């Protein structure tokens, strides 16, 4: 048996929540390793919908769940999420949830700065969720972040708050915003400390013990490869590394702990927020994909931009992300289309290329080169075996496999967890 890392292979929103939930039943431990509460996972279990942001999907199944050091944590948002899912019957305590003691915190000042900078940028804004993720990661990298373990010592908090505000108040002055009080921030942290500290733990140690016992660890990623800080559509990206390599760093285990890498990929493409999107559709087909796919952000509620499947982009995500196999989701959304286009290359400045360029100008300038495949005009929703799929749907899947140079390990045909065709068990690889 091996450990499995689940990552997005597009711009996020690929359906990771359902797949992680489906896999969590086979796992012993589930660990989040990057991102913050800007990422949302939707799980549908026995007709009940759970919307998670910071919590690992394993909590719904009662699996031991870990929020790793690579995640930035808004304590107030996390406590509210715990309360919300608790009302749905999901019991969460320090036995089921552990948070890395060295995880950095998102503070109210991070959210305020995020919103102020986006407002000041106007039409040039990046399109963040406004939840303070970016500013929190900035402080982490600049070594002025307040970490969860700091809340154990008020003197440490006071010292770090002074250093933090010497930077933030200078920024606020430049944005014509009111400066912040260190005393007020210290009080906020003192109030939340006894509520969040019971969850702190040296989670790297817990994961190391689980690994030595031969337990199966499921590493749960957020967002997608094209939002990766290094390999995505920079600067229209998130503020962390979203690829499977981060699973090791963001959880405290060595790279050898990550075995099978499962890339989640929609049967078409969506994106939330600003940035390049070569295969975006502004016609009735794009509207159909959005309506049939219920394409609204789990966290923000923003409408997602929709387009044809981009094999060039996904193939690149497979290569740079070390993806072993993919879980192809939302096949049923394509059921009513008579023809399907797949982007197989780009044209840039009159030349044909087979990669997604790094340059901001080139990313905005690529023109998709399409291959047209036949649709199947019959329902695949709820299919649970290859025998339930139309022949043209199978042809589409096989062509996608060829184009992205990775096999389909799982196929999802509805939001329900049981409507899944397992071609290969990632844990058994």
């Amino acid at each position: 048996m091996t450990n499995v890392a689940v990552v997005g292979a597009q711009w996020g929103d690929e359906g990771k929540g359902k797949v992680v939930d489906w896999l969590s039943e086979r796992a012993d431990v589930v660990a989040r390793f990057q991102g913050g509460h800007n990422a949302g996972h939707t799980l549908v279990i026995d007709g009940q919908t759970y919307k998670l942001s910071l919590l690992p999907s394993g909590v719904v199944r009662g699996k031991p769940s870990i929020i790793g050091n690579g995640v930035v944590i808004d304590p107030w948002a996390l406590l509210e999420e715990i309360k919300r899912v608790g009302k749905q019957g999901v019991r969460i305590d320090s036995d089921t949830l552990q948070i890395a003691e060295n995880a950095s915190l998102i503070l109210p000042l991070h959210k305020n700065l995020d919103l102020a900078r986006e407002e000041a940028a106007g039409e040039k804004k990046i399109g963040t969720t406004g939840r303070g993720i970016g500013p929190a990661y900035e402080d982490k990298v600049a070594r002025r972040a307040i970490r969860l373990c700091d809340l154990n010592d008020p003197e440490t908090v006071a010292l770090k708050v002074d250093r933090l505000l010497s930077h933030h108040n200078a920024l606020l002055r430049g944005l014509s915003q009111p400066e912040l009080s260190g005393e007020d921030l210290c009080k906020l942290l003192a109030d939340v400390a006894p509520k969040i500290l019971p969850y702190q733990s040296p989670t790297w140690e817990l994961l190391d013990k689980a690994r030595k016992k031969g337990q199966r660890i499921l590493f749960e990623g957020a967002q997608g490869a094209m939002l990766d800080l290094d390999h995505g559509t920079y600067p229209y990206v998130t503020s962390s590394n979203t690829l499977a390599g981060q699973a090791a760093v963001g959880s405290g285990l060595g790279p050898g702990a990550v075995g099978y890498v499962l890339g989640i990929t929609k049967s078409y493409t969506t994106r939330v927020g600003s940035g390049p999107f070569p295969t975006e559709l502004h016609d009735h087909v794009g509207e159909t994909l959005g309506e049939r796919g219920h394409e609204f952000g789990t966290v923000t509620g923003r409408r997602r931009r929709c387009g044809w499947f981009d094999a060039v982009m996904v193939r690149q995500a497979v290569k740079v992300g070390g993806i072993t196999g993919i879980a192809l989701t939302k096949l049923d959304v394509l059921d009513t289309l008579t023809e399907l286009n797949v982007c197989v290359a780009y044209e840039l400045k009159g030349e044909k290329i087979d990669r997604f360029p790094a340059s901001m100008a080139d990313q905005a300038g690529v023109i998709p080169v399409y291959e047209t495949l036949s649709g199947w005009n019959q329902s695949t929703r709820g299919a649970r075996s290859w025998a339930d799929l139309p022949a043209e749907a199978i042809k589409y899947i096989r062509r996608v496999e060829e184009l992205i140079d990775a096999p389909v390990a799982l196929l999802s045909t509805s939001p329900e967890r049981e409507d899944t065709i397992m071609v290969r068990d990632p844990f058994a690889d």
Side-chain angles (χ1 to χ4, degrees), residues 220-234:
E220 179 180 359
Q223 289 101 16
M226 300 313 292
L227 291 175
D228 183 85
L229 185 58
D230 289 295
H231 296 281
T233 49
Y234 190 92

Side-chain angles (χ1 to χ4, degrees), residues 306-324:
C306 298
W308 295 118
F309 185 84
D310 190 334
V312 180
M313 185 178 72
V314 175
R315 182 172 63 245
Q316 192 156 319
V318 167
K319 304 300 183 185
V320 301
I323 290 173
T324 315

Side-chain angles (χ1 to χ4, degrees), residues 179-335:
E179 295 185 31
L180 301 172
S181 160
E183 184 178 344
D184 290 346
L185 182 53
C186 285
K187 185 177 184 306
L188 273 174
L189 292 170
D191 288 343
V192 81
K195 302 172 187 175
I196 198 74
L197 282 175
Y199 297 100
Q200 74 166 344
S201 171
T203 52
W204 66 269
E205 194 171 50
L206 297 179
L207 288 170
D208 182 61
K209 289 178 180 177
R211 186 185 178 197
K212 287 179 178 177
K213 289 179 183 177
Q215 293 183 325
R216 290 162 293 191
I217 302 170
L218 181 61
F219 298 97
E220 179 180 359
Q223 289 101 16
M226 300 313 292
L227 291 175
D228 183 85
L229 185 58
D230 289 295
H231 296 281
T233 49
Y234 190 92
Y236 302 99
V237 294
T238 193
S239 297
S240 62
N241 288 111
T242 61
L243 304 181
Q246 180 64 20
V249 179
S251 63
L253 287 176
V258 181
Y260 194 100
V261 179
L262 183 68
I264 316 302
T265 310
K266 269 180 185 163
S267 300
Y268 50 102
T269 311
T270 63
R271 176 165 200 171
V272 172
S274 307
F277 186 168
T279 65
E280 184 173 10
L281 296 170
H282 300 282
D283 56 14
H284 72 283
V285 176
E287 291 177 6
T288 298
L289 294 174
E291 290 169 5
R292 287 182 55 82
H294 305 289
E295 296 298 351
F296 295 92
T298 300
V299 172
T300 64
R302 289 186 292 179
R303 188 178 183 88
R304 296 174 186 140
R305 301 153 63 189
C306 298
W308 295 118
F309 185 84
D310 190 334
V312 180
M313 185 178 72
V314 175
R315 182 172 63 245
Q316 192 156 319
V318 167
K319 304 300 183 185
V320 301
I323 290 173
T324 315
I326 67 166
L328 194 65
T329 67
K330 292 198 170 184
L331 183 71
D332 57 301
V333 174
L334 304 179
D335 286 348

Side-chain angles (χ1 to χ4, degrees), residues 76-110:
W76 299 274
L78 178 58
L79 291 168
E80 180 58 34
E81 188 176 338
I82 290 172
K83 180 180 177 182
R84 175 166 47 79
V85 299
K87 291 179 180 178
Q88 293 183 276
V90 179
R91 179 175 171 270
I92 297 175
D93 55 27
S94 57
D95 290 328
T96 56
L97 176 67
Q98 299 286 315
I99 306 172
E101 59 188 357
N102 55 335
S104 296
L105 302 183
I106 301 173
L107 308 176
L109 60 85
H110 292 127

